[in-house]
Every structure is written in C-alpha cells, then in structure tokens.
Amino acid sequence: MTSQHHSESTPRITPLPIAEWDEEATAAVASAFGTAGVKAFQRAGAAPNVLATLVHYPGLAAAFNRLGNVLLSKPAIGHRERELMLLRVAWRTGAQYEWVHHVLQAEHYGLDELDIQGVIDGGCAKWSPLEADLVAAADQLLDRYRIDDATWQRLAVHLDNRQLVELPFIVGTYTCLAMAFNSWNLQVEDGVDASDVPPLPH
C-alpha cells in the first residue's frame, strides 16, 4: 500500500527546472510560446509541470506544443465544445493533471458546475443535441476508435468539414496526453488549489 501511494504521488520523470534548460530546450519552448512566453516562465521561476517534463525531449516538446496551441487557442469546433470532449477524456482516462487544470479553467470557456457534472455522468439536460453528440463521439472514440455512423450523420448536420477533421484530433490528442500524464505520474503543481475539483473515480 505504501509503495503504491508513493508511486502515485511521485513523478516518474522529474520536471526539468528552468535553470537547467539548455539552448535546445529554451528554443523548443520559444517555438511554441514565443520568447515572451519563455521570459514569463523565467520571471515566474518555473514552468508548468507538463512543459517542464516535455522539455526532456525538446524536439517533441516543440512539435507537440504547436499542435496543442492550435487546438487550445483557435479550435475550429469552439472552446466550449472542445472542453466538453477534453474533460470527458480526462474523466474516462483518470488523468488527474488534465482533469484538475481543465476543471479549474472551465468557467473561462463557458462551462459551469452542471456541465462538469454532465461530463462525469456522460450527459446533461442543459446540453444542446450537438453537445450531447460531441460527448458521445468522445466515448465512441475511446471505446471503439471510431465515431459511429448515426452520431457522425448528426454531427455532420451542424459541423463543417474542417470541424469534422478536427474532432477526432481533439479526442486523440488529449487521450495521448492523458496516457503520457498517467505514465509519467505527472503531479499537479504546488500551490494549485484543487479542493473544489470533483475527485476522479478510483
């Protein structure tokens, strides 16, 4: 029991402190966040644990963060819609880091407590038919790696081809991150208050 608890609360890969970033790591972060982003992390004295872990592999960090920025900053499908799918992925995969950070950001993207409970339950009475289908699509992709025909046909009424291309990438990208976070035992940063975040199922 003790060793299991230890493995869950200790990262398998220690996030790399900014003071130890070499030129390649710094350039990788700058390619995704700009020099202003690097300077902001330096002023703060730390980067988020996800980034400080990724920079152990600068080339991957640069490429993956650029992809993440597309999905996070300008999603074709919309911010609220992305978050509903992303949070469902985090809940289903038990990805604590992903879940905590995105529940804490939920209000910024137009989600409230009822939406979070809906993500947990797999449905919510306030959701539009499109929102319900997006969460169902996330479940189908997690379960069978394919959106079923009926769901796809309903989605295609509301979404254009650009959005339909993006949709599996949202679920897939955040599932990939969930697998990485869970495998790394990525820890939520000290000082992040997760006391109001619903706990993940054990």
Side-chain angles (χ1 to χ4, degrees):
M1 182 67 70
T2 303
S3 62
Q4 182 181 5
H5 176 77
H6 177 77
S7 69
E8 292 175 351
S9 61
T10 304
R12 288 173 167 173
I13 303 173
T14 302
L16 194 64
I18 288 180
E20 296 179 22
W21 290 7
D22 60 16
E23 289 184 10
E24 189 181 9
T26 302
V29 174
S31 74
F33 300 99
T35 54
V38 173
K39 289 179 181 177
F41 294 138
Q42 289 172 336
R43 283 195 300 271
N49 283 346
V50 54
L51 184 58
T53 304
L54 268 171
V55 295
H56 282 287
Y57 187 169
L60 180 61
F64 202 91
N65 280 316
R66 286 196 298 272
L67 168 62
N69 284 347
V70 171
L71 299 178
L72 198 61
S73 65
K74 45 188 176 185
I77 214 160
H79 289 288
R80 173 178 164 83
E81 292 78 6
R82 178 207 59 231
E83 287 298 301
L84 286 172
M85 291 187 290
L86 185 167
L87 283 165
R88 184 62 175 170
V89 167
W91 176 261
R92 289 276 316 269
T93 58
Q96 177 76 4
Y97 188 91
E98 196 167 68
W99 176 250
V100 166
H101 278 283
H102 284 274
V103 169
L104 292 176
Q105 297 168 22
E107 185 177 357
H108 175 71
Y109 294 119
L111 280 68
D112 60 19
E113 291 181 6
L114 287 176
D115 291 310
I116 300 301
Q117 190 59 49
V119 166
I120 292 170
D121 296 338
C124 179
K126 67 175 279 193
W127 288 351
S128 69
L130 172 60
E131 290 169 344
D133 278 333
L134 289 171
V135 172
D139 279 338
Q140 291 161 18
L141 287 165
L142 287 166
D143 291 337
R144 297 184 293 279
Y145 317 111
R146 184 180 189 271
I147 299 170
D148 69 31
D149 291 338
T151 305
W152 182 268
Q153 288 167 7
R154 291 194 301 271
L155 289 168
V157 172
H158 300 282
L159 303 178
D160 61 27
N161 285 341
R162 187 171 64 120
Q163 293 167 318
L164 289 169
V165 165
E166 181 188 62
L167 195 164
F169 277 88
I170 291 173
V171 175
T173 298
Y174 287 100
T175 300
C176 177
L177 283 171
M179 290 189 290
F181 296 168
N182 289 343
S183 296
W184 300 340
N185 284 346
L186 188 66
Q187 303 298 301
V188 175
E189 295 81 8
D190 292 340
V192 172
D193 183 4
S195 57
D196 291 333
V197 175
L200 289 168
H202 295 294

